[in-house]
Amino acid sequence: QQQVKQSPQSLIVQKGGISIINCAYENTAFDYFPWYQQFPGKGPALLIAIRPDVSEKKEGRFTISFNKSAKQFSLHIMDSQPGDSATYFCAALRFSGGYNKLIFGAGTRLAVHP
Amino acid sequence: DSGVTQTPKHLITATGQRVTLRCSPRSGDLSVYWYQQSLDQGLQFLIQYYNGEERAKGNILERFSAQQFPDLHSELNLSSLELGDSALYFCASSAQGGNYGYTFGSGTRLTVV
């Protein structure tokens, strides 16, 4: 069953605008919430991540907002650029010693138009 | 270059055949994970190995198997291939304990004809 739900499936934003991608999770046992960025033909690359005891994390133009009580988190891309056009995956990680499981959302295809 | 090496990059094979995908993890990483990404689909977790031992299984078909060798490289074996097995197969690795920093390879694109 899908434990991380991501929306929207696709997103079109004008250059300079704000891109917002939302995710919700079901299992409260997750330990970390990373976001991955994937360009066509490439593997996903870690973009930014947040722990569940933090409400917000910002790195450059990328910000994660985390709402533990609502079990929701979102990625905001400020001043979106055409180079940000990619597929973004939210994920939830549960780790315990050597047993680790990273569960991905379905992905959001972002297109930033000039 | 992420440090995770996957070979081959592309593979075209016929239905019913068997193929082996190879992954060399980033230096020092003990955990290897395999994911399948079908066209316009998300990333489906297949299986995880930690220092040679299987640690977790996801939606991996019985026709698929994997192993991690003493030098920590891993192989994913896909047999009795079907058209629906056509996908990108990604390998990822992480350091001991598996923090949030999974590093993905560039993937192997498998096409079954």
Short mmCIF file of all heavy atoms in Angstrom, two decimals, chain A residues 12-39:
data_model
loop_
_atom_site.label_atom_id
_atom_site.label_comp_id
_atom_site.label_asym_id
_atom_site.label_seq_id
_atom_site.Cartn_x
_atom_site.Cartn_y
_atom_site.Cartn_z
N ILE A 12 3.06 23.15 -13.72
CA ILE A 12 3.67 24.11 -14.63
C ILE A 12 3.73 25.45 -13.93
O ILE A 12 2.72 25.94 -13.42
CB ILE A 12 2.86 24.23 -15.94
CG1 ILE A 12 2.83 22.88 -16.67
CG2 ILE A 12 3.46 25.30 -16.84
CD1 ILE A 12 1.94 22.88 -17.90
N VAL A 13 4.93 26.02 -13.91
CA VAL A 13 5.15 27.28 -13.22
C VAL A 13 5.92 28.22 -14.14
O VAL A 13 6.78 27.77 -14.92
CB VAL A 13 5.94 27.04 -11.91
CG1 VAL A 13 6.34 28.35 -11.24
CG2 VAL A 13 5.12 26.18 -10.95
N GLN A 14 5.62 29.48 -14.06
CA GLN A 14 6.37 30.47 -14.83
C GLN A 14 7.66 30.78 -14.12
O GLN A 14 7.76 30.73 -12.87
CB GLN A 14 5.55 31.74 -15.03
CG GLN A 14 4.31 31.55 -15.91
CD GLN A 14 4.66 31.12 -17.31
OE1 GLN A 14 5.56 31.67 -17.95
NE2 GLN A 14 3.95 30.13 -17.82
N LYS A 15 8.66 31.13 -14.91
CA LYS A 15 9.95 31.51 -14.36
C LYS A 15 9.78 32.62 -13.32
O LYS A 15 9.07 33.60 -13.57
CB LYS A 15 10.89 31.98 -15.48
CG LYS A 15 12.25 32.44 -15.00
CD LYS A 15 13.10 32.93 -16.17
CE LYS A 15 14.43 33.49 -15.68
NZ LYS A 15 15.26 34.01 -16.80
N GLY A 16 10.42 32.43 -12.17
CA GLY A 16 10.31 33.39 -11.09
C GLY A 16 9.19 33.10 -10.11
O GLY A 16 9.13 33.71 -9.04
N GLY A 17 8.33 32.16 -10.46
CA GLY A 17 7.22 31.83 -9.59
C GLY A 17 7.62 30.85 -8.49
O GLY A 17 8.77 30.42 -8.39
N ILE A 18 6.64 30.51 -7.66
CA ILE A 18 6.86 29.56 -6.57
C ILE A 18 6.25 28.21 -6.94
O ILE A 18 5.08 28.13 -7.30
CB ILE A 18 6.25 30.06 -5.25
CG1 ILE A 18 6.81 31.43 -4.89
CG2 ILE A 18 6.49 29.06 -4.13
CD1 ILE A 18 6.15 32.06 -3.68
N SER A 19 7.05 27.17 -6.83
CA SER A 19 6.56 25.81 -7.07
C SER A 19 6.30 25.17 -5.71
O SER A 19 7.16 25.23 -4.82
CB SER A 19 7.59 24.98 -7.84
OG SER A 19 7.93 25.61 -9.06
N ILE A 20 5.14 24.55 -5.57
CA ILE A 20 4.79 23.91 -4.30
C ILE A 20 4.34 22.48 -4.56
O ILE A 20 3.44 22.25 -5.36
CB ILE A 20 3.67 24.68 -3.57
CG1 ILE A 20 4.10 26.11 -3.30
CG2 ILE A 20 3.32 23.97 -2.25
CD1 ILE A 20 3.01 26.99 -2.70
N ILE A 21 4.99 21.55 -3.90
CA ILE A 21 4.66 20.13 -4.02
C ILE A 21 4.35 19.60 -2.63
O ILE A 21 5.08 19.88 -1.68
CB ILE A 21 5.83 19.34 -4.64
CG1 ILE A 21 6.23 19.94 -5.99
CG2 ILE A 21 5.44 17.86 -4.80
CD1 ILE A 21 7.51 19.36 -6.57
N ASN A 22 3.26 18.87 -2.53
CA ASN A 22 2.78 18.42 -1.23
C ASN A 22 2.86 16.91 -1.08
O ASN A 22 2.65 16.17 -2.05
CB ASN A 22 1.33 18.86 -1.04
CG ASN A 22 1.19 20.36 -1.09
OD1 ASN A 22 1.79 21.09 -0.30
ND2 ASN A 22 0.42 20.84 -2.05
N CYS A 23 3.14 16.48 0.13
CA CYS A 23 3.16 15.06 0.43
C CYS A 23 2.51 14.79 1.78
O CYS A 23 2.55 15.65 2.68
CB CYS A 23 4.59 14.53 0.44
SG CYS A 23 5.27 14.34 -1.22
N ALA A 24 1.92 13.61 1.90
CA ALA A 24 1.32 13.19 3.16
C ALA A 24 1.73 11.76 3.42
O ALA A 24 1.85 10.96 2.48
CB ALA A 24 -0.20 13.29 3.08
N TYR A 25 1.97 11.45 4.67
CA TYR A 25 2.38 10.10 5.00
C TYR A 25 1.42 9.49 6.00
O TYR A 25 0.69 10.19 6.70
CB TYR A 25 3.82 10.08 5.53
CG TYR A 25 4.05 10.86 6.80
CD1 TYR A 25 4.06 10.25 8.04
CD2 TYR A 25 4.27 12.24 6.75
CE1 TYR A 25 4.29 10.98 9.20
CE2 TYR A 25 4.49 12.97 7.90
CZ TYR A 25 4.50 12.33 9.12
OH TYR A 25 4.71 13.06 10.27
N GLU A 26 1.45 8.16 6.07
CA GLU A 26 0.49 7.46 6.91
C GLU A 26 1.12 6.85 8.15
O GLU A 26 0.49 6.77 9.20
CB GLU A 26 -0.19 6.36 6.10
CG GLU A 26 -0.96 6.90 4.87
CD GLU A 26 -1.44 5.80 3.96
OE1 GLU A 26 -1.12 4.63 4.21
OE2 GLU A 26 -2.15 6.12 2.98
N ASN A 27 2.36 6.43 8.03
CA ASN A 27 3.02 5.72 9.12
C ASN A 27 3.80 6.71 9.97
O ASN A 27 4.59 7.49 9.45
CB ASN A 27 3.97 4.68 8.52
CG ASN A 27 4.55 3.76 9.58
OD1 ASN A 27 4.71 4.14 10.73
ND2 ASN A 27 4.85 2.54 9.19
N THR A 28 3.57 6.72 11.25
CA THR A 28 4.26 7.68 12.10
C THR A 28 5.64 7.23 12.52
O THR A 28 6.33 7.93 13.24
CB THR A 28 3.42 7.95 13.36
OG1 THR A 28 3.19 6.70 14.04
CG2 THR A 28 2.09 8.57 13.01
N ALA A 29 6.07 6.07 12.04
CA ALA A 29 7.36 5.55 12.46
C ALA A 29 8.52 6.01 11.60
O ALA A 29 9.63 5.55 11.76
CB ALA A 29 7.32 4.02 12.48
N PHE A 30 8.27 6.92 10.69
CA PHE A 30 9.34 7.38 9.81
C PHE A 30 10.30 8.29 10.56
O PHE A 30 9.91 9.05 11.44
CB PHE A 30 8.77 8.11 8.60
CG PHE A 30 8.02 7.19 7.66
CD1 PHE A 30 6.69 7.41 7.36
CD2 PHE A 30 8.66 6.12 7.07
CE1 PHE A 30 6.00 6.58 6.50
CE2 PHE A 30 7.98 5.27 6.20
CZ PHE A 30 6.65 5.50 5.93
N ASP A 31 11.56 8.21 10.15
CA ASP A 31 12.62 8.94 10.85
C ASP A 31 13.16 10.14 10.09
O ASP A 31 13.81 11.00 10.67
CB ASP A 31 13.78 7.99 11.15
CG ASP A 31 13.36 6.83 12.02
OD1 ASP A 31 13.04 7.08 13.20
OD2 ASP A 31 13.33 5.69 11.53
N TYR A 32 12.93 10.16 8.79
CA TYR A 32 13.52 11.23 7.98
C TYR A 32 12.69 11.40 6.74
O TYR A 32 12.07 10.45 6.26
CB TYR A 32 14.96 10.85 7.60
CG TYR A 32 15.94 11.96 7.84
CD1 TYR A 32 16.71 12.01 8.99
CD2 TYR A 32 16.09 12.98 6.91
CE1 TYR A 32 17.61 13.02 9.23
CE2 TYR A 32 16.98 14.00 7.14
CZ TYR A 32 17.73 14.02 8.29
OH TYR A 32 18.62 15.04 8.51
N PHE A 33 12.67 12.62 6.22
CA PHE A 33 11.84 12.92 5.06
C PHE A 33 12.68 13.67 4.03
O PHE A 33 12.80 14.89 4.07
CB PHE A 33 10.61 13.74 5.48
CG PHE A 33 9.71 12.99 6.41
CD1 PHE A 33 9.93 13.04 7.79
CD2 PHE A 33 8.65 12.23 5.94
CE1 PHE A 33 9.11 12.33 8.67
CE2 PHE A 33 7.82 11.53 6.80
CZ PHE A 33 8.05 11.57 8.17
N PRO A 34 13.25 12.93 3.09
CA PRO A 34 14.07 13.58 2.06
C PRO A 34 13.25 13.88 0.80
O PRO A 34 12.21 13.27 0.55
CB PRO A 34 15.13 12.52 1.75
CG PRO A 34 14.45 11.21 2.05
CD PRO A 34 13.40 11.49 3.09
N TRP A 35 13.76 14.81 0.04
CA TRP A 35 13.23 15.09 -1.30
C TRP A 35 14.33 14.80 -2.30
O TRP A 35 15.50 15.15 -2.09
CB TRP A 35 12.81 16.56 -1.42
CG TRP A 35 11.53 16.87 -0.72
CD1 TRP A 35 11.37 17.19 0.59
CD2 TRP A 35 10.23 16.90 -1.30
NE1 TRP A 35 10.04 17.41 0.86
CE2 TRP A 35 9.31 17.24 -0.28
CE3 TRP A 35 9.73 16.66 -2.59
CZ2 TRP A 35 7.94 17.36 -0.50
CZ3 TRP A 35 8.37 16.78 -2.81
CH2 TRP A 35 7.48 17.13 -1.77
N TYR A 36 13.93 14.17 -3.40
CA TYR A 36 14.87 13.83 -4.45
C TYR A 36 14.45 14.54 -5.74
O TYR A 36 13.27 14.73 -6.03
CB TYR A 36 14.92 12.33 -4.69
CG TYR A 36 15.71 11.59 -3.64
CD1 TYR A 36 15.14 11.28 -2.40
CD2 TYR A 36 17.03 11.23 -3.87
CE1 TYR A 36 15.87 10.61 -1.43
CE2 TYR A 36 17.76 10.56 -2.90
CZ TYR A 36 17.18 10.26 -1.69
OH TYR A 36 17.91 9.60 -0.73
N GLN A 37 15.46 14.89 -6.51
CA GLN A 37 15.26 15.55 -7.80
C GLN A 37 15.82 14.63 -8.87
O GLN A 37 16.94 14.11 -8.74
CB GLN A 37 16.02 16.89 -7.81
CG GLN A 37 15.93 17.69 -9.09
CD GLN A 37 16.87 18.89 -9.04
OE1 GLN A 37 18.06 18.75 -8.82
NE2 GLN A 37 16.33 20.08 -9.22
N GLN A 38 15.03 14.40 -9.91
CA GLN A 38 15.47 13.50 -10.97
C GLN A 38 15.31 14.17 -12.33
O GLN A 38 14.20 14.55 -12.71
CB GLN A 38 14.68 12.19 -10.94
CG GLN A 38 15.16 11.17 -11.97
CD GLN A 38 14.35 9.89 -11.96
OE1 GLN A 38 13.20 9.86 -11.57
NE2 GLN A 38 14.98 8.80 -12.38
N PHE A 39 16.42 14.27 -13.04
CA PHE A 39 16.40 14.76 -14.41
C PHE A 39 16.27 13.56 -15.36
O PHE A 39 16.67 12.44 -15.01
CB PHE A 39 17.66 15.55 -14.72
CG PHE A 39 17.75 16.84 -13.95
CD1 PHE A 39 18.60 16.98 -12.87
CD2 PHE A 39 16.95 17.93 -14.31
CE1 PHE A 39 18.67 18.17 -12.16
CE2 PHE A 39 17.02 19.12 -13.60
CZ PHE A 39 17.87 19.23 -12.52
#
